[in-house]
Amino acid sequence: MNHGASQREGGTVALGALAIVVAGAVIGLITNHFAARSVALFASEATLRATVATGVLYIDTTDAKSVLDAGTAVFVDARLPEEYAEGHIPGAVNLPADDFDETYPKLAKGLREASSIIAYCSDIQCDQGAKVADWLAERGHSGVYLMFSGWDEWEAAGYPSERAEGP
């Protein structure tokens, strides 16, 4: 048996496997970039703020809790209905970014009557809350806030939550 030939074959197989892994990663990154629900790879509040409409303000979890206690805002959960059903901020309405155009008309009147709107998603990696906040500001709503930290931080803080009642 020729060990040199065997090592060359092993090296060729390893390079082929590496090429497949790299190609898969590149395809995955390209697909993620163009996906409707893309995943932010290197998200931070600073980088996300630059992508949000000028009319959108920012609020942290603690201040959002104070607003909830005062009852002075409508909370808008931008997550999918299944995520919303599992738990959300009490009184929040579900306005998923993926179904915004279909769902918004049903909620528009109530949102127009709100003095403030606080949009949120699951966490800082989720851009759905930012999208919904943008779209609300573009439709003329004022007092639109984005809670970057989202549902996960709200829940981790032990703040009140509720589940959607289903069939």
Side-chain angles (χ1 to χ4, degrees):
M1 179 177 215
N2 185 344
H3 288 295
S6 182
Q7 286 178 337
R8 278 192 301 274
E9 284 181 23
T12 303
V13 170
L15 285 176
L18 178 62
I20 291 170
V21 169
V22 169
V26 169
I27 291 169
L29 290 169
I30 290 169
T31 302
N32 181 58
H33 177 75
F34 292 106
R37 285 187 49 95
S38 62
V39 175
L41 300 177
F42 304 104
S44 70
E45 189 169 326
T47 58
L48 290 176
R49 281 186 186 221
T51 67
V52 179
T54 306
V56 176
L57 306 168
Y58 306 95
I59 191 165
D60 66 24
T61 309
T62 305
D63 289 340
K65 169 66 166 68
S66 296
V67 171
L68 176 72
D69 292 342
T72 57
V74 172
F75 284 79
V76 174
D77 190 319
R79 298 175 300 151
L80 295 172
E82 302 80 36
E83 296 168 302
Y84 172 83
E86 291 174 7
H88 54 270
I89 295 173
V93 296
N94 189 212
L95 181 53
D98 289 348
D99 297 323
F100 186 89
D101 291 332
E102 181 180 313
T103 307
Y104 174 75
K106 300 171 192 168
L107 301 173
K109 184 177 186 291
L111 293 173
R112 292 227 178 272
E113 294 171 354
S115 59
S116 297
I117 300 169
I118 300 176
Y120 68 93
C121 191
S122 57
D123 59 29
I124 197 167
Q125 297 291 325
C126 178
D127 66 350
Q128 303 303 294
K131 288 179 182 179
V132 167
D134 279 350
W135 296 331
L136 291 171
E138 288 172 3
R139 282 162 178 74
H141 294 277
S142 58
V144 177
Y145 291 81
L146 175 61
M147 187 174 73
F148 270 114
S149 53
W151 169 250
D152 291 351
E153 187 172 302
W154 180 276
E155 188 176 40
Y159 292 152
S161 65
E162 64 185 18
R163 297 173 65 89
E165 298 194 20

